[in-house]
Amino acid sequence: MTRFFFYFLVSYFLFSCDGKNENVAGQFTIEVPVDIGAGLPPTKTHYFLHRDVGIKFSEYLSSRGLVEEDVLRVEPASAILTPVTRDIKWSFVEHATIYVFNPDNVQEEFLSFRTEFVPLNVGEYLNVLPYRVDLKRLFLAPAIGLRTGLHFRGASPRTIQSVLQLKFNVVVE
């Protein structure tokens, strides 16, 4: 009976594929500094705004031999907040969000990364999980905006200089 169930599941997944032929052509990376002041009050969300992050997405596409029409979607892949100084643990952060927005129209904002609960023993790399959202329209512009929200469970131990590295999958046919 278990074999029958296993074969049924395998055949179900094989037949349920809708025949989409999509590939990830590569990952587009953005790095921005995030400086967190010492003693920011806990139990609040603190936002770190990068209003005009210049991106060279069209140059990235041409380096891959692609044009804008080849791109189906640009979707979030990974976000990692890394301190520049050593001995920093992110245990004072309770949850994290990253929004990508159009700098010319701040109403056009998309939640792109979110980690609902950061474990107490997190370490020196804070991973923020990606949402499935298509950001292609924003990436066709020369700049995007980023709004990083960190909700603190405790005060930051000291001033922290860090780098936020964002990666986005470029999906093509």
Side-chain angles (χ1 to χ4, degrees):
M1 184 67 179
T2 58
R3 280 189 189 184
F4 174 75
F5 183 70
F6 173 74
Y7 289 125
F8 174 75
L9 267 173
V10 169
S11 62
Y12 176 76
F13 285 121
L14 288 176
F15 288 117
S16 67
C17 294
D18 58 359
K20 287 185 181 179
N21 190 14
E22 298 176 349
N23 297 309
V24 175
Q27 288 188 332
F28 185 73
T29 304
I30 299 172
E31 289 185 354
V32 293
V34 176
D35 295 332
I36 301 167
L40 289 174
T43 67
K44 291 187 176 189
T45 301
H46 301 280
Y47 292 99
F48 305 91
L49 187 64
H50 294 88
R51 187 171 294 280
D52 196 20
V53 178
I55 58 173
K56 297 180 180 179
F57 190 67
S58 58
E59 290 178 15
Y60 170 80
L61 291 179
S62 64
S63 73
R64 298 259 183 211
L66 300 170
V67 293
E68 293 175 3
E69 291 78 24
D70 293 335
V71 178
L72 295 176
R73 291 185 313 277
V74 176
E75 54 192 26
S78 70
I80 301 173
L81 191 60
T82 307
V84 174
T85 56
R86 295 280 180 217
D87 299 327
I88 297 293
K89 307 290 188 222
W90 296 103
S91 59
F92 64 94
V93 176
E94 187 172 15
H95 60 81
T97 56
I98 301 170
Y99 293 86
V100 177
F101 65 90
N102 181 349
D104 297 327
N105 180 9
V106 293
Q107 299 298 326
E108 192 176 0
E109 179 179 63
F110 300 95
L111 176 62
S112 301
F113 300 93
R114 181 178 180 93
T115 294
E116 189 61 40
F117 181 76
V118 176
L120 289 172
N121 60 351
V122 65
E124 66 181 57
Y125 299 103
L126 179 61
N127 293 316
V128 187
L129 303 174
Y131 259 47
R132 187 170 174 101
V133 61
D134 183 11
L135 302 170
K136 176 184 174 182
R137 190 166 42 130
L138 296 179
F139 275 78
L140 296 179
I144 61 170
L146 298 171
R147 185 168 62 107
T148 304
L150 299 175
H151 186 86
F152 293 174
R153 65 169 59 104
S156 61
R158 61 181 187 224
T159 299
I160 302 170
Q161 292 179 336
S162 60
V163 175
L164 177 62
Q165 182 185 61
L166 303 167
K167 292 188 179 188
F168 298 89
N169 287 334
V170 179
V171 180
V172 297
E173 282 188 48

